[in-house]
Amino acid sequence: MALSLLLVEDNARTRDQIMGMLAQTPYQVEIAVDGLDGLNRARKACFDVVLVDHKMPLMDGLLLVKNLRDDADYAQTPILFMTTSEPEQVRKKAERMGADLVLGKPLDSDELLRKLRQLSPRDVA
């Protein structure tokens, strides 16, 4: 069974770049174009990992992370938070909302892939 990843990113160019990086992983990726879309998709299916952008329309990434953590299905799901802000400035708030990891944008492909390998179940990674 393939691993599933929900990518929540409002910028089309950034989505395309991240999709290129994720092509090297065992994840089947579903895309959400804003925070509200991400929350709706997360409620319809359970994902193994969620990759969330910080600043988005309709619902920002921090509120999305909080909403996901309030859902029992996502209590233990790894949530990676991406930001164009200085990661250290957002880290505490993102972690308080429930993010497992804060990554600065533009993403470093090697770092993202390494983190995803660490999060993958051992029998699939």
Side-chain angles (χ1 to χ4, degrees), residues 58-86:
L58 301 183
M59 178 186 295
D60 76 359
L62 291 169
L63 187 54
L64 174 57
V65 170
K66 181 184 181 322
N67 277 290
L68 290 174
R69 285 299 184 220
D70 287 345
D71 184 324
D73 289 338
Y74 287 94
Q76 300 299 318
T77 301
I79 300 176
L80 283 63
F81 191 80
M82 308 176 290
T83 184
T84 54
S85 300
E86 176 59 40

Side-chain angles (χ1 to χ4, degrees), residues 5 8 10-11 17 19 39 41 45 47 51 53 81 83 89 99 105 115 121 125:
L5 183 144
V8 188
D10 63 310
N11 183 291
Q17 291 170 342
M19 287 299 292
L39 183 60
R41 289 175 187 272
F47 295 90
L51 189 54
D53 182 31
F81 191 80
T83 184
Q89 293 177 351
K105 288 165 82 177
K115 297 297 183 185

Side-chain angles (χ1 to χ4, degrees), residues 61-62 65-66 69 79-81 87-103:
L62 291 169
V65 170
K66 181 184 181 322
R69 285 299 184 220
I79 300 176
L80 283 63
F81 191 80
E88 288 307 315
Q89 293 177 351
V90 209
R91 186 175 319 282
K92 284 185 181 176
K93 189 167 189 178
E95 288 174 349
R96 210 171 34 250
M97 293 294 179
D100 293 295
L101 184 66
V102 177
L103 301 169

